[in-house]
Amino acid sequence: MSGLDNMELSPPPSCLKAEYETIFTTDSLLFLHELISTFDEEVDQVLKLRVSRKAHLDLSGDLPSFLESSSHIRRDPAWRVLPVPPRLQRRHVDIGDLAPCDTQRFIQALQSPAQGIQVDFDDGNCPTYYNQIKGLCNVYKAVHNKFPNAPHISQAPVLMLRPRAWNMVEHNMMVGGKEAPGPLFDFGLLMFHCGEKLFRNGSGPFFYLSKVESFMEARLWKKIFVWTQLKLGLPLGSIKATVLIENVLAAFEMEEILYELREHSAGLNCGIWDYSASFINKFGLRQAFLLPDRSKYVNMEKRFLRSYMELLVQTCHRRGALATGGMAALLLPEDRDAHRTAMAAVSRLKLMEIQAGVDGFMVYDLGLIEPMQKLFQLHTEGDNQLHQLLEDVTVTPDDLLSMPSGGVTLYGLKYNIAVGVLFINAWLSGKGHFFYRGQVEDSATAEISRSQVWQWIRHQTQLENDSRVVSRRLVTDLSKELVMELLMELGTGRHSDRDKRRLLTAADMFLEVVLKRDFPEFITTYLNQDHTFLSSQNTGQVEAIGGEIPRPKM
């Protein structure tokens, strides 16, 4: 019996046969089969641990705190993470949300002066079979220098490869009668085809790890890294990973997460929207954790977010690890005055992060790369800020769990509905992000948007503007208004009836999500399992758009 007898793989999407054959070789499938078979049970265990932990929080009413069981790790001043390779020492500006299936933007990023590229199979990517194969093949081409106009991989911005998070599965591969875990599918193929080449060129393999909720999940990634390095003949510690701390529970385990990955750590990253949404995910039923309107009352200057960023920087630098900030989502307008205003807004927010001690952050608009690099040069010295130890900072559980005051505005409710509906519409179009009101929106902003609407309905929150309460009727009426406005816009352009039907479907699906009795943990999991999304792939609606994502004028 061969190693592939209990593996099933869907045939290639039309027009991707060559890419399919490049990625899915007999050897790569044997490697992937062994990787998934080895760790599949442990993946299930960490997901069950999440469910158990959430149930305990709901039943007990407890709040998270720093773990007693691992206090010896936090108290030990001696341990450090291994130093990162030279190409990771200076991480001032990375390009974020770059779905590698978008060939044109990927090549533009490779040609750019950025320090790194977040090669995103997660938040900024829609994981259709087409997009995964196209994206994996484009990474292969970049690493093996097969793009004619792109620099050699040793000279290009470093590729920070972000596989899908643990909550995602790959529908097109079955191993042992089960759908393959999405992160193992992505990670395994990236490592098999690119790991050794990246290592030999001093340019990797480097990863971002999304939605890690505990040190136990970091421990599983460590086991996967060690196993993979041994299998591929790479030195132990050659894989480096930045963990995104985008869950409130993980904020209480940052030192333990670094400790588990101390041979493989490229530091920790802090963002705003997935992290804020996690409060609703974990404590959304509690009135004390009612999160106010994000468009008016939630930003990195609020106590709970400022404390989280300060603790992350302090923790990382104390242990010799790099600390990176979130992504500037703003798109620079063409109009000169509007351009100047937008640049000033981004500079103010990013200067605050620099002054908090971060070693780098991300931008979406390529036009922001050099201005933000200059901001770093003006306000810091050297490659990073590891010397900024923040020894005078003390962060308590109360600081991390302190909800900002504020209410809900009609504008904020409408904005959240629009982002949620348009994100689902984008997914049904095969795109993982879209542009709205001058900035890029992805699954992180969709996550906080739909989470807030669900929570405001659940707590029957009153609007600041008038006496109305956020209810099913109000949200349904506002969704209909939004759809009518968008349909009128579609009616003036070259859009098909299918575009209009898709938008109506997206609005219906958004209402399903925000009106559910029990909070769906991740919008991407919900959509990835939804019949409408799966059937749209089978009928070619998604595949037809390819990976080339329309972009605004820059």
Side-chain angles (χ1 to χ4, degrees):
M1 179 169 156
S2 82
L4 300 181
D5 282 352
N6 68 346
M7 173 185 266
E8 297 177 67
L9 180 67
S10 299
S14 60
C15 76
L16 278 188
K17 288 184 174 60
E19 290 88 342
Y20 181 95
E21 288 169 5
T22 298
I23 297 302
F24 298 118
T25 64
T26 300
D27 287 343
S28 73
L29 290 173
L30 283 166
F31 174 80
L32 202 54
H33 179 276
E34 192 173 354
L35 172 70
I36 292 167
S37 301
T38 302
F39 292 104
D40 190 66
E41 282 188 23
E42 290 186 69
V43 172
D44 283 346
Q45 284 170 14
V46 299
L47 292 172
K48 286 170 184 168
L49 188 62
R50 285 184 180 182
V51 173
S52 169
R53 206 171 178 193
K54 174 70 165 64
H56 170 77
L57 289 169
D58 286 345
L59 291 169
S60 67
D62 288 350
L63 291 172
S65 192
F66 299 106
L67 302 175
E68 278 298 317
S69 59
S70 53
S71 60
H72 61 285
I73 292 171
R74 297 193 303 278
R75 285 198 303 263
D76 180 356
W79 67 268
R80 298 285 186 277
V81 304
L82 285 182
V84 293
R87 292 208 71 199
L88 283 185
Q89 289 286 342
R90 186 183 185 92
R91 291 196 52 196
H92 290 171
V93 182
D94 284 1
I95 299 165
D97 265 8
L98 198 146
C101 59
D102 182 352
T103 307
Q104 183 181 341
R105 182 169 166 83
F106 188 35
I107 291 173
Q108 286 174 344
L110 290 167
Q111 295 167 336
S112 80
Q115 271 81 33
I117 303 169
Q118 183 190 64
V119 182
D120 197 1
F121 291 90
D122 194 48
D123 279 8
N125 176 63
C126 178
T128 65
Y129 200 27
Y130 183 104
N131 288 352
Q132 296 307 106
I133 294 171
K134 185 78 170 175
L136 288 162
C137 196
N138 278 345
V139 174
Y140 175 89
K141 287 179 179 178
V143 171
H144 293 271
N145 307 303
K146 294 185 181 296
F147 283 129
N149 299 319
H152 189 274
I153 195 61
S154 62
Q155 303 300 315
V158 292
L159 305 184
M160 302 298 299
L161 306 165
R162 177 155 77 157
R164 281 170 284 185
W166 290 126
N167 57 297
M168 300 296 282
V169 295
E170 176 50 62
H171 297 299
N172 294 285
M173 176 173 282
M174 303 280 284
V175 177
K178 293 164 65 179
E179 289 177 319
L184 294 185
F185 178 91
D186 301 339
F187 171 81
L189 290 169
L190 289 165
M191 279 302 301
F192 182 85
H193 288 294
C194 305
E196 184 188 5
K197 183 87 169 176
L198 286 166
F199 181 73
R200 277 195 280 115
N201 283 281
S203 299
F206 305 141
F207 289 88
Y208 270 112
L209 303 180
S210 295
K211 298 175 181 60
V212 170
E213 293 194 10
S214 73
F215 75 89
M216 294 297 291
E217 297 181 22
R219 181 177 293 173
L220 174 55
W221 273 116
K222 175 181 68 176
K223 290 180 183 178
I224 292 165
F225 292 168
V226 170
W227 183 93
T228 302
Q229 288 162 156
L230 289 170
K231 278 285 168 190
L232 297 178
L234 292 170
L236 292 179
S238 54
I239 296 174
K240 299 295 182 188
T242 298
V243 175
L244 290 96
I245 303 296
E246 46 195 354
N247 186 283
V248 58
L249 302 184
F252 289 90
E253 300 183 27
M254 288 195 272
E255 291 218 54
E256 292 87 341
I257 288 168
L258 281 180
Y259 183 79
E260 291 295 337
L261 289 166
R262 58 196 180 278
E263 292 90 6
H264 298 98
S265 181
L268 304 177
N269 172 272
C270 63
I272 179 170
W273 297 130
D274 268 323
Y275 183 76
S276 297
S278 77
F279 280 76
I280 302 173
N281 186 329
K282 302 304 179 188
F283 317 121
L285 293 171
R286 308 185 199 189
Q287 184 74 36
F289 285 91
L290 185 63
L291 192 66
D293 188 340
R294 72 182 180 100
S295 65
K296 185 175 180 181
Y297 297 110
V298 182
N299 56 60
M300 291 304 290
E301 294 169 275
K302 298 299 179 184
R303 179 183 168 196
F304 83 115
L305 291 172
R306 188 184 69 248
S307 300
Y308 147 68
M309 181 163 62
E310 288 175 347
L311 181 61
L312 185 141
V313 172
Q314 182 189 62
T315 301
C316 284
H317 289 180
R318 181 192 296 154
R319 303 303 183 179
L322 296 171
T324 50
M327 185 182 76
L330 210 65
L331 302 168
L332 292 173
E334 286 187 340
D335 177 80
R336 185 178 297 177
D337 290 339
H339 186 285
R340 192 180 300 117
T341 303
M343 187 68 75
V346 174
S347 297
R348 187 186 75 81
L349 291 170
K350 288 306 173 188
L351 180 57
M352 187 185 75
E353 292 184 25
I354 291 170
Q355 290 170 338
V358 301
D359 301 293
F361 46 67
M362 289 175 279
V363 300
Y364 182 85
D365 193 317
L366 305 188
L368 285 168
I369 296 169
E370 291 184 270
M372 293 303 106
Q373 288 172 332
K374 286 175 184 169
L375 198 67
F376 261 103
Q377 289 159 13
L378 276 172
H379 296 279
T380 67
E381 294 179 6
D383 289 340
N384 52 59
Q385 298 200 80
L386 282 171
H387 59 284
Q388 298 280 4
L389 298 177
L390 275 62
E391 289 171 333
D392 58 334
V393 169
T394 302
V395 175
T396 66
D398 282 348
D399 292 325
L400 292 171
L401 298 171
S402 169
M403 286 291 91
S405 58
V408 178
T409 67
L410 181 60
Y411 171 86
L413 178 58
K414 285 182 169 181
Y415 192 90
N416 279 343
I417 292 169
V419 170
V421 170
L422 290 170
F423 176 74
I424 296 171
N425 184 65
W427 252 61
L428 295 177
S429 312
K431 302 167 195 166
H433 60 275
F434 65 98
F435 309 107
Y436 185 63
R437 294 191 180 174
Q439 59 184 33
V440 65
E441 307 280 0
D442 64 7
S443 77
T445 49
E447 200 67 83
I448 185 62
S449 295
R450 65 94 188 185
S451 297
Q452 287 209 299
V453 176
W454 181 92
Q455 191 186 35
W456 295 341
I457 294 170
R458 174 56 57 95
H459 291 285
Q460 300 171 61
T461 312
Q462 191 168 336
L463 293 176
E464 285 183 355
N465 311 67
D466 50 44
S467 59
R468 284 184 293 176
V469 164
V470 181
S471 63
R472 175 166 70 178
R473 173 174 289 182
L474 178 59
V475 171
T476 302
D477 289 347
L478 292 176
S479 298
K480 286 178 180 174
E481 285 179 24
L482 170 75
V483 168
M484 291 305 295
E485 289 170 16
L486 293 171
L487 285 174
M488 285 179 69
E489 290 177 25
L490 287 176
T492 61
R494 295 172 60 190
H495 296 278
S496 67
D497 287 342
R498 190 169 71 188
D499 292 331
K500 295 170 185 176
R501 286 197 304 271
R502 184 171 58 230
L503 181 61
L504 290 166
T505 301
D508 288 342
M509 291 172 70
F510 174 77
L511 288 172
E512 286 176 15
V513 173
V514 298
L515 295 175
K516 284 201 171 295
R517 178 181 177 89
D518 296 314
F519 181 80
E521 192 174 18
F522 295 105
I523 191 171
T524 47
T525 308
Y526 184 86
L527 295 177
N528 197 44
Q529 304 287 3
D530 187 87
H531 171 74
T532 310
F533 173 65
L534 295 173
S535 62
S536 70
Q537 293 191 64
N538 294 334
T539 58
Q541 291 178 38
V542 165
E543 180 189 314
I545 65 102
E548 309 308 324
I549 299 170
R551 55 193 52 74
K553 294 175 182 176
M554 295 291 187

